[in-house]
Amino acid sequence: AQTVTQSQPEMSVQEAETVTLSCTYDTSENNYYLFWYKQPPSRQMILVIRQEAYKQQNATENRFSVNFQKAAKSFSLKISDSQLGDTAMYFCAFMKQNTGNQFYFGTGTSLTVIP
Amino acid sequence: DTEVTQTPKHLVMGMTNKKSLKCEQHMGHRAMYWYKQKAKKPPELMFVYSYEKLSINESVPSRFSPECPNSSLLNLHLHALQPEDSALYLCASSQGASGGIYEQYFGPGTRLTVT
């Protein structure tokens, strides 16, 4: 079974600052995908960013970027210029290729952006 | 606006009631999912439908019964639930269920309370 670990249950960051959320995973697969999802309080879960394991280049989406270290099985999320709307639970997710799209979620990191 | 809709938003039911949760997606996706989520926990996969066929059925109690009338609709029938079944029930959809990257798109959820 795949395991996904988010070692920071809670984090906080000052508005406009940068924060990094960590995620590690355990797998024997070579082809897989990684995702970060955001779930604001009482709102729906949305995809923030995704990374294909075969790509060496780190994914970037506006203020969100990842640091993907395949050998270390690490997939951290960096949020630049943090905004109040970034306050949310962040879940890291792992998906094997050709497995019927079963996601393995981490336990989540609760991020609070402080004005 | 979400492209995965769920009704109702909130549901309170007694342990002897029968109710149904509904989910609809308008993105032409061929895979749909039901998750159960407790507060500040990651979603737990309950069922996966791929091309209208149940392809993953985790060890979910029989008091939960999924139904997929067509590729756009997904129901979850509830009967004789227990108070510990109180949770947020999330529906998700993805383009397919094998091969490629098929990130999942989540609905806003149904907040279920069993009394």
Side-chain angles (χ1 to χ4, degrees):
Chain A
Q2 323 305 308
T3 57
V4 180
T5 302
Q6 294 180 247
S7 59
Q8 306 149 314
E10 296 182 353
M11 296 188 72
S12 62
V13 62
Q14 291 291 139
E15 194 175 5
E17 296 294 308
T18 295
V19 64
T20 299
L21 280 58
S22 67
C23 173
T24 58
Y25 56 94
D26 184 23
T27 185
S28 58
E29 301 289 325
N30 191 47
N31 296 318
Y32 52 87
Y33 309 99
L34 296 161
F35 306 87
W36 278 99
Y37 278 86
K38 167 186 176 181
Q39 189 175 32
S42 301
R43 294 181 64 187
Q44 73 186 93
M45 187 172 299
I46 59 173
L47 177 68
V48 175
I49 200 165
R50 71 180 194 194
Q51 175 81 41
E52 297 94 314
Y54 64 85
K55 289 187 176 179
Q56 293 185 336
Q57 186 172 6
N58 289 324
T60 299
E61 288 287 342
N62 301 313
R63 299 183 295 107
F64 299 89
S65 62
V66 298
N67 183 5
F68 173 50
Q69 302 290 328
K70 190 173 184 179
K73 297 179 182 176
S74 172
F75 182 60
S76 61
L77 175 69
K78 185 172 81 171
I79 306 174
S80 304
D81 185 25
S82 297
Q83 300 176 0
L84 296 180
D86 296 332
T87 293
M89 281 290 287
Y90 287 82
F91 293 101
C92 178
F94 170 98
M95 186 188 85
K96 292 191 293 185
Q97 194 176 30
N98 297 326
T99 58
N101 274 21
Q102 184 165 358
F103 273 25
Y104 298 88
F105 283 98
T107 50
T109 296
S110 178
L111 176 67
T112 300
V113 180
I114 302 168
Chain B
D1 288 344
T2 178
E3 295 189 73
V4 178
T5 58
Q6 291 186 242
T7 56
K9 289 186 178 180
H10 301 275
L11 178 63
V12 179
M13 61 185 290
M15 288 188 284
T16 59
N17 292 156
K18 287 185 180 180
K19 296 286 185 182
S20 296
L21 309 184
K22 298 185 183 299
C23 175
E24 188 169 9
Q25 56 90 9
H26 305 281
M27 295 177 281
H29 289 173
R30 300 309 301 269
M32 297 186 75
Y33 311 78
W34 278 117
Y35 288 89
K36 173 183 177 181
Q37 187 181 27
K38 292 282 198 179
K40 293 193 176 293
K41 298 291 185 183
E44 301 171 36
L45 182 65
M46 300 176 73
F47 303 103
V48 178
Y49 272 89
S50 174
Y51 294 84
E52 299 152 51
K53 292 185 179 178
L54 186 63
S55 62
I56 296 178
N57 183 356
E58 304 289 294
S59 298
V60 178
S62 59
R63 55 186 184 266
F64 295 92
S65 175
E67 178 195 15
C68 189
N70 60 57
S71 61
S72 299
L73 294 172
L74 185 65
N75 299 321
L76 185 63
H77 302 298
L78 315 172
H79 174 56
L81 294 192
Q82 303 298 309
E84 59 264 30
D85 297 322
S86 298
L88 181 68
Y89 287 83
L90 296 170
C91 174
S93 71
S94 65
Q95 186 176 355
S98 64
I101 306 176
Y102 295 129
E103 58 261 31
Q104 295 181 17
Y105 296 83
F106 287 83
T110 293
R111 177 75 60 189
L112 174 66
T113 303
V114 181
T115 61

